[in-house]
Amino acid sequence: MKILLTGATGYIGQRLLPVLLEAGHEVIACVRDKARFPLHKHSGARLSVIEGDWASESAFDALPNDIDAAYYLIHSMADPGSGFPEREALTATHFRNRLEPTGVKQVIYLGGISNDPELSKHLRSRQQVESLLQSQHYALTVLRAGIIVGSGSASFEIIRDLVEKLPIMVAPKWLQTKCQPIAIRNVIDCLTGVLLKPETYNRNWDIGGPDVLTYREMLLAFADVRKLKRWIFIVPVFTPRLSSYWLFFVTSTSFALARNLVDSMKVEVVCRDNELTRILGIQPVSYRDAIRLAFDKIEQHQVISSWKDALTSHTLSGGLSRLITAPSNGCMSDHRTRPTPQPHDALERIWAIGGTNGWYYANFLWAIRGWLDRLAGGVGLRRGRKHPTELQPGDALDFWRVILADRENRRLLLYAEMKLPGEAWLEFRIDEHNTVHQTATFRPKGLLGRLYWYALIPVHGIIFNGMLRRIAEGPASRANTPQMPTDAL
């Protein structure tokens, strides 16, 4: 069968794609940026990739008409700003209008559980999208999920941050709200199980695991699985805004996502029933088992996708390819070189930079910069990295985004997503003479940007020189430099 997959670089899309390919389907993946799509991972598969943005009405005019089914996995909750319902409505309308002239038989949409009479802005938007996707030209199947638990999911990583970092929590009252979490593997089971099954046409289903828990119970159960003792005290003084700041500063989430999550966490998300899992013969995974399965993937470095893959900058939404060459006009730069006796090892160190591996020199200064970025409303260093030694274009790397990761030509290019009075790139390259080139480029915005760069010249001299030396020569003298974990602040 020929399947159209939207949101192919998103958290769910990256999990669903290999399952569809392994089942023998031909898949057309719709992405906003081909540079972020790891096509090499699916060599030999019946897979084609089309680039475009559903916000544009004519973006996918070249889409073939012989599609059998389509998955709609687009959402904008993590986008900064308050206009995500309008963006979601626009993309859903364009998607429906483009699919209606095709031969598609079924559209499958993953929405949110919306049984509470007072819904959040996020859940109201999901309801609106569900309504806009309905058509007389194809059957619509809607799966409504609440909290999704899996390695790399936003909910899992937020709970992990809270439990592992805070022995004692003074928490807002919405931690008493009930929800019905579902394991990511059960979500994928349901998405593939309803594919072209007539009995699921033009119906909506709530999907959830076997446990109905409050958020407080979820935190304590997580702690129990991890063999941690935690105390949680509920206080009524947390306003939605204070709650958002609480999540933002303690966890690795962005403020935009924290704000929308808090808004949704005040709403009870419990399934009407679990009929679909019975119809499809799916064995629901318990919340505790879902946590164990997630950590199995993390410990084996098999995290396929992460919510952090979502782009946080409007600048990046235009595509990574246009940032693949750092500019020179009107820019300031710090370019350093150093020969390396072992270019292969130096390349491995470049590919392992950041996250728990740190930045090889004066990590406490990087940690301070990350902490200051969080205070300014930026992403800070807490996003870390998805894999300890592998990088792909589009990956989050602390407060950078990977623009280019070319092992063959020994070049890594990063773009800054920290709060800055301008734009910044950081490039590592090893040339044919086995010399490591390290270049920091900054395009200032106004006078403040120039003052920012000049003020940091002494700090750059310390950090960049030390980092380059460690990359080129190895960590032999690492013990002589004070270190601090990048998430310590």
Side-chain angles (χ1 to χ4, degrees):
M1 288 181 284
K2 185 174 285 189
I3 311 297
L4 176 68
L5 177 63
T6 66
T9 55
Y11 177 73
I12 301 294
Q14 289 188 63
R15 306 287 177 118
L16 181 59
L17 176 60
V19 178
L20 294 174
L21 293 174
E22 287 170 13
H25 299 301
E26 180 183 351
V27 179
I28 303 167
C30 294
V31 299
R32 284 195 297 178
D33 188 355
K34 278 188 177 181
R36 294 182 59 212
F37 189 85
L39 189 60
H40 66 280
K41 288 186 176 181
H42 309 286
S43 58
R46 300 170 65 198
L47 172 66
S48 56
V49 182
I50 301 179
E51 184 179 70
D53 189 344
W54 286 102
S56 172
E57 191 170 8
S58 59
F60 292 98
D61 286 345
L63 202 67
N65 289 325
D66 58 341
I67 299 166
D68 295 300
Y71 286 95
Y72 190 82
L73 303 176
I74 301 171
H75 69 86
S76 309
M77 190 172 73
D79 287 356
S82 58
F84 75 86
E86 291 76 18
R87 290 192 294 275
E88 291 195 332
L90 185 67
T91 57
T93 301
H94 290 165
F95 176 85
R96 182 199 65 218
N97 292 343
R98 179 63 189 91
L99 266 287
E100 283 183 339
T102 71
V104 67
K105 302 177 186 68
Q106 181 190 29
V107 168
I108 302 167
Y109 169 55
L110 181 62
I113 295 175
S114 51
N115 301 323
D116 196 298
E118 294 187 16
L119 298 177
S120 66
K121 187 176 183 180
H122 158 59
L123 290 174
R124 287 197 304 273
S125 179
R126 292 292 175 94
Q127 269 194 340
Q128 182 186 31
V129 168
E130 183 178 326
S131 175
L132 290 170
L133 289 176
Q134 291 176 354
S135 171
Q136 295 180 349
H137 297 271
Y138 56 73
L140 178 65
T141 301
V142 178
L143 305 181
R144 297 170 176 169
I147 297 294
I148 297 175
V149 182
S151 57
S153 76
S155 304
F156 176 85
E157 295 297 341
I158 288 170
I159 292 170
R160 182 184 180 185
D161 280 343
L162 291 171
V163 171
E164 294 187 354
K165 293 178 180 178
L166 299 176
I168 300 174
M169 295 180 225
V170 178
K173 60 184 180 180
W174 50 256
L175 255 68
Q176 302 286 28
T177 304
K178 290 181 179 180
C179 61
Q180 193 165 348
I182 182 171
I184 179 62
R185 66 173 52 192
N186 283 159
V187 174
I188 301 302
D189 289 340
C190 290
L191 286 168
T192 54
V194 299
L195 180 61
L196 293 176
K197 282 197 168 44
E199 59 267 37
T200 68
Y201 288 1
N202 295 316
R203 297 189 63 181
N204 58 72
W205 316 79
D206 290 351
I207 58 173
D211 306 307
V212 177
L213 305 165
T214 65
Y215 290 107
R216 182 178 185 274
E217 289 170 337
M218 289 176 64
L219 291 168
L220 293 175
F222 191 104
D224 187 54
V225 171
R226 299 298 289 163
K227 295 180 171 52
L228 298 170
K229 188 66 177 176
R230 294 295 182 258
W231 291 267
I232 301 175
F233 301 96
I234 307 296
V235 295
V237 296
F238 273 89
T239 64
R241 189 168 187 84
L242 281 175
S243 297
S244 301
Y245 280 118
W246 180 70
L247 274 186
F248 172 66
F249 282 112
V250 175
T251 72
S252 55
T253 184
S254 66
F255 183 73
L257 183 57
R259 182 180 56 214
N260 289 321
L261 283 173
V262 166
D263 193 28
S264 294
M265 285 175 174
K266 295 181 291 182
V267 179
E268 197 170 89
V269 283
V270 177
C271 297
R272 293 165 297 177
D273 53 55
N274 247 348
E275 184 185 1
L276 186 63
T277 55
R278 293 193 296 272
I279 292 173
L280 299 178
I282 296 169
Q283 181 61 46
V285 177
S286 72
Y287 174 65
R288 288 172 182 263
D289 284 342
I291 294 169
R292 295 186 184 99
L293 289 169
F295 274 102
D296 285 345
K297 295 291 185 183
I298 292 168
E299 289 162 5
Q300 296 170 33
H301 305 306
Q302 294 180 348
V303 179
I304 298 172
S305 62
S306 170
W307 70 272
K308 299 169 188 175
D309 296 335
L311 301 181
T312 61
S313 169
H314 284 307
T315 303
L316 291 171
S317 64
L320 303 183
S321 56
R322 70 183 192 82
L323 300 169
I324 211 162
T325 302
S328 55
N329 294 333
C331 296
M332 288 114 167
S333 67
D334 183 300
H335 179 240
R336 301 169 191 264
T337 62
R338 198 175 190 94
T340 176
Q342 297 176 313
H344 173 77
D345 292 344
L347 186 65
E348 293 303 314
R349 284 188 284 272
I350 290 172
W351 247 249
I353 201 165
T356 57
N357 298 323
W359 292 81
Y360 301 139
Y361 190 82
N363 276 337
F364 71 97
L365 292 177
W366 288 94
I368 290 171
R369 181 63 183 88
W371 180 72
L372 291 174
D373 191 55
R374 297 287 287 184
L375 284 179
V379 295
L381 290 176
R382 295 180 185 180
R383 295 187 307 183
R385 52 182 295 156
K386 189 163 59 179
H387 192 280
T389 59
E390 295 180 6
L391 291 173
Q392 299 292 335
D395 281 357
L397 179 57
D398 291 333
F399 45 40
W400 302 90
R401 181 71 62 173
V402 178
I403 302 298
L404 177 71
D406 186 348
R407 269 187 178 272
E408 184 177 348
N409 292 306
R410 304 193 293 187
R411 183 186 175 208
L412 176 67
L413 179 64
L414 309 176
Y415 179 83
E417 290 192 292
M418 65 192 85
K419 293 291 185 179
L420 289 170
E423 293 180 274
W425 289 257
L426 180 60
E427 180 179 2
F428 301 95
R429 179 173 60 88
I430 303 177
D431 67 18
E432 65 274 15
H433 304 295
N434 294 333
T435 297
V436 182
H437 294 253
Q438 176 186 281
T439 307
T441 303
F442 183 67
R443 179 158 58 191
K445 185 177 181 180
L447 178 62
L448 181 60
R450 287 165 172 78
L451 292 174
Y452 171 85
W453 177 263
Y454 291 130
L456 286 179
I457 285 177
V459 179
H460 287 166
I462 297 170
I463 293 177
F464 290 157
N465 189 55
M467 181 170 62
L468 177 61
R469 185 174 70 252
R470 293 281 164 76
I471 288 172
E473 299 176 0
S477 60
R478 190 180 181 117
N480 298 327
T481 302
Q483 301 292 314
M484 180 179 292
T486 56
D487 63 351
L489 292 176

